[in-house]
Amino acid sequence: MTKPAIAANGLRKSYGDKTVLDGVDLIVPEGTIFSLLGPNGAGKTTTVQILSTLISAGGGQAQVAGHDIAADPQAVRAAIGVTGQFSAVDGLITGEENMLLMADLHHLSKQEGRRVAAELLERFDLVEAAKKPASTYSGGMKRRLDIAMTLVGKPRIIFLDEPTTGLDPRSRHNMWGIIRELVSDGVTVFLTTQYLEEADELADRIAVLNDGRIAAEGTAAELKRLVPGGHVRLRFTDPIAYQAASLALEQANQDDDAFTLQIPSDGSQRELRSILDWLDSAGIEADELTVHTPDLDDVFFALTGGAGVPTQSKEAVR
């Protein structure tokens, strides 16, 4: 059985009398995108800092790329790349010089460093800007350069701590494409984000961190099924068919003006098949069937009580 890229058991961290992490367990399979969600102060960045060996844990154990973070931190650092909330780009030098500086830090030869820098600048569409000071770059360009610098050492695991914070929607979508490309190349991505849409769009698995503990973990679809409110909506144009369905489906909420029935459902294939089989056996045909499931906003509020959530929760939950 393949070892997971990241495995943490009982991670703890406190600062004085404030507990930041209170027994966090995580498993991240290789070649996947794992997203950690949580309100402000939930411990997302602290988790990244511990797993990337930037700070030590107060308790628990973790292995990253098969290496113990406490016993063999150098081996962990050799296998990972980290892009933090704030860009590590030096604005006083050019994009190319930033790349070459990173190549020097990874002890690449000058020839190899130039080759790697040129390849990554092209891959991230930064060739035209390569000779310009990084201070002149847009936010999206700086983020692309930041990730390009992270890739100089060919990490197997990349920690992206809120990589699209502050980016406009177009730049954010471009960054999503870059993250997907990384995973298609076999890289494992550990992503923290303040955007629920981002986790829903990208992550293979999502964990919700609240009060220093994992409140829930699973695929986006699995997490959405934790929250009540899902339903199947049937719409009819034939009043007779609508009346027949209404009489038979007593548990459904009825809208006599719109000729619609709303049936509580978890959105699973099993429940959907049951409804379709019933319609067939009753000889009733609905003109439209739609499945509605709670979104990650609903999950987030249910699991965290809305703690630390800005008013524009759809686009800015941290």
Side-chain angles (χ1 to χ4, degrees), residues 91-131:
L92 298 178
I93 59 178
T94 68
E96 182 181 53
E97 288 168 340
N98 270 282
M99 294 293 294
L100 294 175
L101 177 61
M102 190 60 64
D104 286 343
L105 291 174
H106 282 281
H107 307 293
L108 300 183
S109 67
K110 286 196 178 298
Q111 182 179 358
E112 179 69 2
R114 290 194 174 279
R115 183 189 67 77
V116 170
E119 285 181 358
L120 289 169
L121 287 168
E122 182 174 0
R123 177 177 178 181
F124 287 87
D125 195 23
L126 291 168
V127 173
E128 289 186 11
K131 303 291 186 182

Coordinates of all heavy atoms in Angstrom, one line a residue, residues 91-131:
G91 N 10.8 42.4 -4.6 CA 10.3 43.3 -5.6 C 11.5 44.2 -6.1 O 11.3 44.9 -7.2
L92 N 12.6 44.2 -5.5 CA 13.7 45.1 -5.9 C 14.5 44.5 -7.1 O 15.3 45.2 -7.7 CB 14.7 45.3 -4.8 CG 14.0 46.1 -3.6 CD1 15.1 46.3 -2.5 CD2 13.5 47.4 -4.0
I93 N 14.3 43.2 -7.4 CA 15.0 42.5 -8.5 C 14.0 42.0 -9.5 O 12.8 42.0 -9.2 CB 16.0 41.4 -8.0 CG1 15.2 40.3 -7.2 CG2 17.1 42.0 -7.1 CD1 16.0 39.2 -6.7
T94 N 14.5 41.6 -10.6 CA 13.6 41.1 -11.7 C 13.0 39.7 -11.4 O 13.5 39.0 -10.5 CB 14.3 41.1 -13.0 OG1 15.3 40.0 -13.0 CG2 15.0 42.4 -13.4
G95 N 12.0 39.4 -12.1 CA 11.5 38.0 -12.0 C 12.5 37.0 -12.3 O 12.6 36.0 -11.5
E96 N 13.3 37.2 -13.3 CA 14.4 36.2 -13.6 C 15.4 36.1 -12.5 O 15.8 35.0 -12.1 CB 15.0 36.6 -14.9 CG 16.1 35.6 -15.4 CD 16.8 36.1 -16.7 OE1 17.3 37.2 -16.7 OE2 16.8 35.3 -17.6
E97 N 15.8 37.2 -11.9 CA 16.7 37.2 -10.8 C 16.2 36.5 -9.6 O 16.9 35.8 -8.9 CB 17.2 38.7 -10.5 CG 18.1 39.3 -11.6 CD 18.2 40.8 -11.4 OE1 17.4 41.4 -10.7 OE2 19.2 41.3 -12.0
N98 N 14.9 36.7 -9.3 CA 14.3 36.0 -8.3 C 14.4 34.5 -8.5 O 14.7 33.7 -7.6 CB 12.8 36.3 -8.1 CG 12.5 37.5 -7.2 OD1 12.5 37.4 -6.0 ND2 12.3 38.7 -7.8
M99 N 14.2 34.0 -9.7 CA 14.3 32.6 -10.0 C 15.7 32.1 -9.9 O 15.9 31.0 -9.3 CB 13.8 32.4 -11.5 CG 12.3 32.7 -11.7 SD 11.2 31.5 -10.8 CE 11.6 30.0 -11.7
L100 N 16.6 32.9 -10.4 CA 18.1 32.5 -10.3 C 18.5 32.4 -8.8 O 19.4 31.6 -8.5 CB 18.9 33.4 -11.1 CG 18.7 33.3 -12.6 CD1 19.5 34.4 -13.4 CD2 19.0 31.9 -13.2
L101 N 18.0 33.3 -8.0 CA 18.4 33.3 -6.6 C 17.9 32.1 -6.0 O 18.6 31.4 -5.2 CB 17.8 34.6 -5.9 CG 18.0 34.7 -4.4 CD1 19.5 34.8 -4.1 CD2 17.2 35.9 -3.9
M102 N 16.7 31.7 -6.3 CA 16.1 30.4 -5.8 C 16.9 29.2 -6.2 O 17.2 28.3 -5.5 CB 14.7 30.3 -6.2 CG 13.9 29.1 -5.5 SD 13.9 29.3 -3.7 CE 12.9 30.8 -3.5
A103 N 17.4 29.2 -7.5 CA 18.2 28.2 -8.0 C 19.5 28.1 -7.2 O 20.0 27.0 -6.9 CB 18.5 28.4 -9.5
D104 N 20.1 29.2 -6.9 CA 21.3 29.2 -6.1 C 21.1 28.6 -4.7 O 21.9 27.8 -4.2 CB 21.8 30.6 -5.9 CG 22.5 31.2 -7.2 OD1 22.8 30.4 -8.1 OD2 22.7 32.4 -7.3
L105 N 19.9 28.9 -4.1 CA 19.6 28.4 -2.8 C 19.4 26.9 -2.8 O 19.7 26.2 -1.8 CB 18.3 29.0 -2.3 CG 18.4 30.5 -1.9 CD1 17.0 31.1 -1.5 CD2 19.4 30.7 -0.7
H106 N 19.0 26.3 -4.0 CA 18.9 24.9 -4.2 C 20.2 24.3 -4.7 O 20.2 23.1 -5.0 CB 17.8 24.6 -5.1 CG 16.4 24.7 -4.5 ND1 15.9 23.7 -3.7 CD2 15.5 25.7 -4.5 CE1 14.7 24.1 -3.2 NE2 14.4 25.3 -3.7
H107 N 21.3 25.1 -4.7 CA 22.6 24.6 -5.1 C 22.7 24.0 -6.5 O 23.4 23.0 -6.8 CB 23.1 23.5 -4.1 CG 23.1 24.0 -2.7 ND1 23.9 25.0 -2.2 CD2 22.3 23.6 -1.6 CE1 23.6 25.2 -0.9 NE2 22.7 24.4 -0.6
L108 N 21.9 24.6 -7.4 CA 21.9 24.2 -8.8 C 23.1 24.9 -9.5 O 23.5 26.0 -9.1 CB 20.7 24.6 -9.6 CG 19.3 24.0 -9.1 CD1 18.2 24.4 -10.0 CD2 19.4 22.5 -9.0
S109 N 23.7 24.3 -10.5 CA 24.8 24.9 -11.2 C 24.2 26.1 -12.0 O 23.0 26.2 -12.2 CB 25.4 23.9 -12.2 OG 24.5 23.6 -13.2
K110 N 25.1 27.0 -12.4 CA 24.6 28.2 -13.1 C 23.9 27.8 -14.4 O 22.8 28.3 -14.7 CB 25.8 29.1 -13.4 CG 26.3 29.9 -12.2 CD 27.1 31.1 -12.7 CE 27.6 31.9 -11.5 NZ 26.5 32.4 -10.7
Q111 N 24.4 26.8 -15.1 CA 23.8 26.4 -16.3 C 22.4 25.7 -16.0 O 21.4 26.0 -16.7 CB 24.7 25.4 -17.1 CG 24.1 24.9 -18.4 CD 25.0 23.9 -19.1 OE1 26.1 23.6 -18.6 NE2 24.6 23.4 -20.2
E112 N 22.4 24.9 -15.1 CA 21.1 24.2 -14.7 C 20.1 25.2 -14.1 O 18.9 25.1 -14.5 CB 21.4 23.1 -13.7 CG 20.1 22.3 -13.2 CD 19.5 21.5 -14.3 OE1 20.0 21.4 -15.4 OE2 18.4 20.9 -14.0
G113 N 20.6 26.1 -13.3 CA 19.7 27.2 -12.8 C 19.1 28.0 -13.9 O 17.9 28.3 -13.8
R114 N 19.8 28.4 -14.9 CA 19.3 29.2 -16.0 C 18.3 28.4 -16.8 O 17.2 28.9 -17.2 CB 20.4 29.7 -16.9 CG 21.2 30.8 -16.2 CD 22.1 31.5 -17.2 NE 22.8 32.7 -16.5 CZ 22.2 33.8 -16.3 NH1 21.0 34.1 -16.6 NH2 22.9 34.8 -15.7
R115 N 18.5 27.1 -17.0 CA 17.6 26.3 -17.7 C 16.3 26.1 -17.0 O 15.2 26.3 -17.6 CB 18.3 24.9 -18.0 CG 17.4 23.9 -18.8 CD 17.9 22.5 -18.8 NE 17.8 21.9 -17.5 CZ 16.7 21.4 -17.0 NH1 15.6 21.5 -17.7 NH2 16.7 20.8 -15.9
V116 N 16.4 25.8 -15.7 CA 15.2 25.6 -14.9 C 14.4 26.9 -14.8 O 13.1 26.9 -15.0 CB 15.5 25.1 -13.5 CG1 14.3 25.1 -12.6 CG2 16.1 23.7 -13.6
A117 N 15.1 28.0 -14.6 CA 14.4 29.3 -14.5 C 13.7 29.7 -15.8 O 12.5 30.1 -15.8 CB 15.4 30.4 -14.2
A118 N 14.4 29.4 -16.9 CA 13.7 29.7 -18.2 C 12.5 28.9 -18.5 O 11.5 29.4 -18.9 CB 14.8 29.5 -19.3
E119 N 12.6 27.6 -18.1 CA 11.4 26.7 -18.3 C 10.2 27.1 -17.5 O 9.1 27.1 -18.0 CB 11.8 25.3 -17.9 CG 12.7 24.6 -19.0 CD 13.1 23.1 -18.6 OE1 12.6 22.7 -17.5 OE2 13.8 22.5 -19.3
L120 N 10.5 27.5 -16.2 CA 9.4 27.8 -15.3 C 8.8 29.2 -15.7 O 7.6 29.4 -15.6 CB 9.9 27.8 -13.9 CG 10.1 26.4 -13.3 CD1 10.8 26.5 -12.0 CD2 8.8 25.6 -13.2
L121 N 9.7 30.1 -16.1 CA 9.1 31.4 -16.5 C 8.2 31.3 -17.7 O 7.2 32.0 -17.8 CB 10.3 32.4 -16.8 CG 11.1 32.9 -15.6 CD1 12.4 33.6 -16.0 CD2 10.2 33.9 -14.8
E122 N 8.6 30.4 -18.6 CA 7.8 30.2 -19.8 C 6.5 29.5 -19.4 O 5.4 29.8 -19.8 CB 8.5 29.3 -20.8 CG 7.7 29.1 -22.1 CD 8.5 28.3 -23.2 OE1 9.7 28.0 -22.9 OE2 7.9 28.1 -24.2
R123 N 6.6 28.5 -18.5 CA 5.4 27.7 -18.1 C 4.4 28.6 -17.4 O 3.2 28.4 -17.6 CB 5.8 26.6 -17.1 CG 4.7 25.8 -16.5 CD 5.2 24.7 -15.7 NE 4.1 23.9 -15.1 CZ 4.3 22.9 -14.2 NH1 5.5 22.5 -13.9 NH2 3.2 22.3 -13.7
F124 N 4.8 29.6 -16.7 CA 3.9 30.5 -15.9 C 3.7 31.8 -16.6 O 3.2 32.8 -16.0 CB 4.5 30.7 -14.5 CG 4.4 29.5 -13.6 CD1 5.3 28.5 -13.6 CD2 3.2 29.3 -12.8 CE1 5.2 27.4 -12.8 CE2 3.1 28.2 -12.0 CZ 4.1 27.3 -12.0
D125 N 4.0 31.8 -17.9 CA 3.7 33.0 -18.8 C 4.3 34.3 -18.2 O 3.6 35.3 -18.1 CB 2.2 33.1 -18.9 CG 1.8 34.1 -20.1 OD1 2.6 34.2 -21.0 OD2 0.7 34.6 -20.0
L126 N 5.6 34.2 -17.9 CA 6.3 35.3 -17.3 C 7.5 35.8 -18.1 O 8.3 36.6 -17.7 CB 6.7 35.0 -15.9 CG 5.6 34.9 -14.8 CD1 6.1 34.3 -13.5 CD2 4.9 36.2 -14.6
V127 N 7.6 35.2 -19.3 CA 8.8 35.5 -20.2 C 8.9 37.0 -20.5 O 10.0 37.6 -20.3 CB 8.8 34.7 -21.5 CG1 10.0 35.1 -22.4 CG2 8.9 33.2 -21.1
E128 N 7.8 37.6 -20.9 CA 7.9 39.0 -21.3 C 8.2 39.9 -20.1 O 8.8 41.0 -20.3 CB 6.5 39.5 -21.9 CG 6.2 38.9 -23.2 CD 5.0 39.4 -23.8 OE1 4.4 40.4 -23.3 OE2 4.5 38.9 -24.9
A129 N 7.8 39.5 -18.9 CA 8.1 40.3 -17.7 C 9.3 39.9 -17.0 O 9.7 40.6 -16.0 CB 6.9 40.2 -16.7
A130 N 10.0 38.9 -17.5 CA 11.2 38.4 -16.7 C 12.3 39.4 -16.4 O 12.9 39.3 -15.4 CB 11.8 37.2 -17.5
K131 N 12.5 40.4 -17.3 CA 13.6 41.3 -17.1 C 13.1 42.6 -16.3 O 13.9 43.5 -16.1 CB 14.1 41.7 -18.5 CG 14.7 40.6 -19.3 CD 15.9 40.0 -18.7 CE 16.5 38.9 -19.7 NZ 17.7 38.3 -19.1

